[in-house]
Amino acid sequence: MSENNKQIVDNAYDATLAVRCINGTFVGKREGDVIAYKGFRFVGQQPIGDLRWKAPVDVVPNDGVYEAYHYGKAPVQAPGDPAIEYGMGEDCLYLNIWKGNKPTSEKKPVMVWIHGGGFEAGGTVDPMFDCHNFVQENPEVIVVTIAYRLTT
C-alpha cells in the first residue's frame, strides 16, 4: 500500500469494497458505479536503499486490512511533468485498479495501461490518468495502471 493508505484497525469498512490479496485485504472507494483501488504496492519491498539493484523481495503474506484510497508516488524525474505535483520518490512501484460496481460472476477483460514518457517522465498519479470515466462508460472492463521507475 502507498504511504498515504493506512491500515484499518477498527474493522469499520464496507466489506463489499474489500479485495483479499496475499499481502492483505484492500478496501477501495466507490464513486457512482465505479470502485477504485489505488496505491497497491506490486513488490514485496520497494527497491531502495540496501535493496537497490538486488533481486526482488517476495511479498509477505499479511492478514491486515488496508485502505486503497490514495495513489502511490510518481517516479523521480526532472521538473515539468504534472505527475510530480502529487509527490515523487524512488519508492514508486504501485498499481491502481478501477472496476464497475455491479456484481457479476462473469469474467471481464483487463486493460493494463503503462504510462508513457520515454522512461524519463510521467506517472499514474496525474488526475488526467484517472480511469473512472473510462470504466463508467465501459463497465465490462477492469483497468489497471502501473507506475515504474524512470532513468532520470
Side-chain angles (χ1 to χ4, degrees):
M1 75 176 169
S2 80
E3 66 185 28
N4 294 325
N5 288 322
K6 307 296 182 211
Q7 186 170 7
I8 300 172
V9 293
D10 58 4
N11 289 325
Y13 66 93
D14 184 343
T16 66
L17 301 176
V19 293
R20 175 82 179 111
C21 300
I22 193 170
N23 58 333
T25 297
F26 298 90
V27 181
K29 276 193 174 181
R30 180 180 319 143
E31 184 179 332
D33 290 335
V34 176
I35 301 172
Y37 302 90
K38 298 177 183 174
F40 271 84
R41 184 174 62 213
F42 63 85
V43 293
Q45 292 181 18
Q46 296 284 343
I48 59 176
D50 291 342
L51 297 176
R52 178 181 278 289
W53 308 115
K54 304 287 188 224
V57 175
D58 287 337
V59 172
V60 176
N62 184 329
D63 291 329
V65 178
Y66 302 91
E67 299 172 344
Y69 304 158
H70 308 285
Y71 291 109
K73 295 176 183 174
V76 174
Q77 57 198 283
D81 192 281
I84 66 172
E85 295 178 26
Y86 304 95
M88 65 178 177
E90 288 185 303
D91 52 339
C92 60
L93 302 181
Y94 295 97
L95 58 84
N96 311 296
I97 303 167
W98 288 265
K99 71 180 201 87
N101 185 37
K102 294 183 181 173
T104 180
S105 60
E106 295 179 28
K107 293 183 178 184
K108 294 184 175 189
V110 176
M111 181 180 101
V112 177
W113 180 77
I114 302 170
H115 70 82
F119 298 103
E120 293 181 2
T124 61
V125 301
D126 186 331
M128 179 172 67
F129 303 130
D130 185 297
C131 294
H132 178 271
N133 290 341
F134 179 85
V135 172
Q136 188 168 354
E137 293 175 14
N138 303 279
E140 70 283 358
V141 177
I142 296 170
V143 178
V144 178
T145 64
I146 299 173
Y148 57 91
R149 292 174 83 174
L150 305 174
T151 59
T152 54

